[in-house]
Amino acid sequence: FGHRGHVQTAFRTRQQIGSTGKLFVLVAAYEYGISPNREFPSRSLDGRGWPAEPSRLCKGRDMTLTEALTHSCNRPFTWAAYELAHRLTTVVDRFELRPPDAPALVPLGGIETSPLRLARAYAAVANKGRLPRIRSLIAALGRRGNVLYAPASYSEAVMSPEIALRVRQALRSPVEAGTARLADSSHAIVYGKT
């Protein structure tokens, strides 16, 4: 794996994650007891339109984080991130990612990481709250298919199974009724964040 190819890019490339950072706000909100029925403002934080909103569905009314996730609305998540402050930073750290200096930037792409590390964070949601270890080798096999070497496979809890379930349920809403409806399938349960 010393080859400079796709594996190196997946591990080392750092880019802003955009609004996929809303995952961390959801985890923190659920962990710190913010009610799923709590509505957050859809007004801008600075009075001049920041952060921008992608849709008219995101403007003019307060909404829950699940509603905001359904329509990919930024402002309610930014208000929640602002309120959560250092508690949100603690959640981002737990996923072995570097949080931005301003927690309000988490849901807007303020985290920079590799595609593989972002996929790993979302995999923890599917893995009942356990962050999987990144491995480029699953096993080395001998000529007869016998396992010669297998690195330890472990995972670390970054959220409770209950929180992971709530986040998974929230990630269904964009597919069922929001910005990811075209990703829905009759063959599999699809979760999404656009």
Side-chain angles (χ1 to χ4, degrees):
F1 280 10
H3 171 70
R4 292 199 181 277
H6 298 290
V7 172
Q8 296 293 335
T9 301
F11 278 99
R12 294 198 175 128
T13 300
R14 291 178 56 89
Q15 57 195 40
Q16 288 187 333
I17 65 171
S19 67
T20 57
K22 290 175 181 162
L23 163 72
F24 307 106
V25 179
L26 277 177
V27 171
Y30 294 155
E31 284 185 0
Y32 291 102
I34 292 177
S35 167
N37 298 321
R38 163 108 182 262
E39 293 185 340
F40 288 89
S42 63
R43 70 180 184 279
S44 70
L45 274 76
D46 68 355
R48 296 179 304 203
W50 184 87
E53 285 294 8
S55 164
R56 63 178 172 72
L57 296 172
C58 299
K59 297 175 183 172
R61 65 184 181 91
D62 294 352
M63 63 185 69
T64 67
L65 292 179
T66 299
E67 289 175 297
L69 185 69
T70 300
H71 302 294
S72 199
C73 301
N74 295 320
R75 292 176 184 167
F77 272 93
T78 307
W79 280 106
Y82 184 77
E83 181 180 315
L84 288 161
H86 73 278
R87 295 173 294 182
L88 177 54
T89 300
T90 301
V91 168
V92 173
D93 280 334
R94 214 180 309 141
F95 283 83
E96 299 177 7
L97 299 173
R98 186 171 163 225
D101 293 335
L105 295 177
V106 169
L108 304 173
I111 298 171
E112 289 186 359
T113 192
S114 71
L116 186 61
R117 289 192 179 277
L118 179 60
R120 178 181 182 226
Y122 272 81
V125 175
N127 199 26
K128 298 181 180 176
R130 300 195 65 81
L131 189 66
R133 179 177 176 211
I134 295 176
R135 301 183 301 165
S136 56
L137 175 68
I138 295 175
L141 303 177
R143 289 184 195 184
R144 294 185 177 89
N146 55 315
V147 176
L148 300 174
Y149 170 76
S153 129
Y154 66 89
S155 59
E156 172 182 340
V158 291
M159 68 186 108
S160 72
E162 295 78 23
I163 298 293
L165 176 61
R166 290 178 67 189
V167 171
R168 261 195 323 278
Q169 290 168 340
L171 288 171
R172 275 293 291 155
S173 65
V175 177
E176 292 177 327
T179 53
R181 284 188 301 261
L182 294 177
D184 206 3
S185 170
S186 59
H187 304 291
I189 298 173
V190 178
Y191 301 89
K193 163 64 202 93
T194 61

